[in-house]
Amino acid sequence: MKMKMTKDWFLKNIDREDKAIVSAGTFCVSQLQKKQQPVEHMTHSAFAMLVSLSRRKKGLTPEKLSDMARIDLDELVSIEKISGYVPEPRTVCQLALILNLPEDKLLQLSGNAKARDQWLQNQAVKFAARAQSMEKLNREEKSALEEFVKKLSESP
Amino acid sequence: MTETSPVFLLDRATRKLRDAIFVDDVPPELVSQVQSAWSPHFAGSTAEHGHWDWNKKYELVEQAPLVYRVFGIVVDEEMQGLMLVSTAGKNCRETSQNGKPLVYIEYLATAPWNSADIVAEPRFSGVGKIFIRAAIELSLEEEFGGRIGLHSLPQAETWYRDVCGMTDLGADTKYQGLHYFEMTPQQIEAFMRG
């Protein structure tokens, strides 16, 4: 096939692509966990709490976060409330983007990606044990959240 | 059979257009070289397309060469982006075009040095726009009326929706929850006008 593109056409709105991410296609399957596989309970609890506390720390209602992340409210509520619920990979990536959390770690915690190190599991268990589900972040929860997010960013 | 056409990319450092070569039917040995050249740049990155193995994806072409094709864009003897499309087996979902054949973009990626999720200052701009145009031209050649469809990775949704003007048909639970996009004849016309 011969392309019929002219220079004029290309120049017309090339600036609109500047720095845009343009990738299309599915996530790498070998990096993802089969959804049917059970998710380690404490790891998943840590994921649900991390999403919930990060949302509350930013002062976002579930509705607002679902709007900002362009995800279904049902799915967000399921993440926070239903034990063992495994969201779609896209949902996890959108949450990572809006909540400023590392995407690859979040995919692991959510049960979407294969857990690659025991270190993350251990940190997740510690975090899940510390954090409590309350309407407003208390000092202990805030401290637990900040420490866990810091560790996620520092991890090997 | 490999065929080439002259195209352009924008060199972001100089803000000048650079001559580029559009390659239809990228041969397997070149795909393999691209995989080797790109992989080190993705090391340690969390880019959503960073783990793709293009050698593996090329197996689709080897299995069904009449259905799958790989396009590429070359500048300075370096591949600046790759796109794998299929011309059979996928039909439109958008209500006004429902059931009509389309060209489906299986995978589209820029080279790591052109991707803002890998480097702070990408080298070239325009890869995405050329590939979308190529998919439309292929669709016209196949007598599919220019209709195209794709599943966008999350970070690219805004580009397909707001810049390319495609219809966002929402999350597709059969494709990892990724949003599915299509271009209708009116949107194709607008895109081709520029």
Side-chain angles (χ1 to χ4, degrees), chain B residues 167-188:
Chain B
T167 300
D168 183 347
L169 292 166
D172 185 344
T173 52
K174 290 180 181 165
Y175 279 79
Q176 304 167 342
L178 296 174
H179 277 219
Y180 176 68
F181 290 81
E182 273 183 17
M183 215 179 238
T184 62
Q186 292 76 20
Q187 292 162 339
I188 293 158

Side-chain angles (χ1 to χ4, degrees), chain A residues 21 58 65 68-70 89-104 106, chain B residues 48 117 153-158:
Chain A
I21 310 280
K58 284 182 177 286
L65 176 57
M68 288 171 75
R70 298 181 62 83
R90 174 190 175 272
T91 303
V92 180
C93 293
Q94 291 297 92
L95 289 173
L97 183 70
I98 302 299
L99 298 174
N100 300 320
L101 298 168
E103 188 179 283
D104 58 335
L106 215 56
Chain B
E48 290 152 354
D117 51 354
L153 285 180
Q155 291 182 328
E157 288 172 7
T158 310

Side-chain angles (χ1 to χ4, degrees), chain A residues 43-111:
Chain A
T43 306
H44 194 272
S45 292
F47 169 69
M49 285 179 188
L50 180 60
V51 170
S52 175
L53 297 187
S54 299
R55 172 179 65 73
R56 286 155 57 195
K57 188 182 174 196
K58 284 182 177 286
L60 300 173
T61 61
E63 290 84 356
K64 181 71 180 166
L65 176 57
S66 69
D67 273 356
M68 288 171 75
R70 298 181 62 83
I71 60 174
D72 284 346
L73 179 59
D74 281 357
E75 195 163 25
L76 178 59
V77 172
S78 299
I79 288 169
E80 294 191 12
K81 304 289 184 195
I82 300 176
S83 176
Y85 177 80
V86 181
E88 295 287 352
R90 174 190 175 272
T91 303
V92 180
C93 293
Q94 291 297 92
L95 289 173
L97 183 70
I98 302 299
L99 298 174
N100 300 320
L101 298 168
E103 188 179 283
D104 58 335
K105 303 291 192 307
L106 215 56
L107 282 166
Q108 286 186 59
L109 292 174
S110 68

Side-chain angles (χ1 to χ4, degrees), chain A residues 112-126:
Chain A
N112 270 289
K114 292 170 185 165
R116 289 192 293 276
D117 54 56
Q118 190 57 43
W119 181 90
L120 180 61
Q121 308 295 313
N122 295 343
Q123 293 302 323
V125 170
K126 281 185 194 170

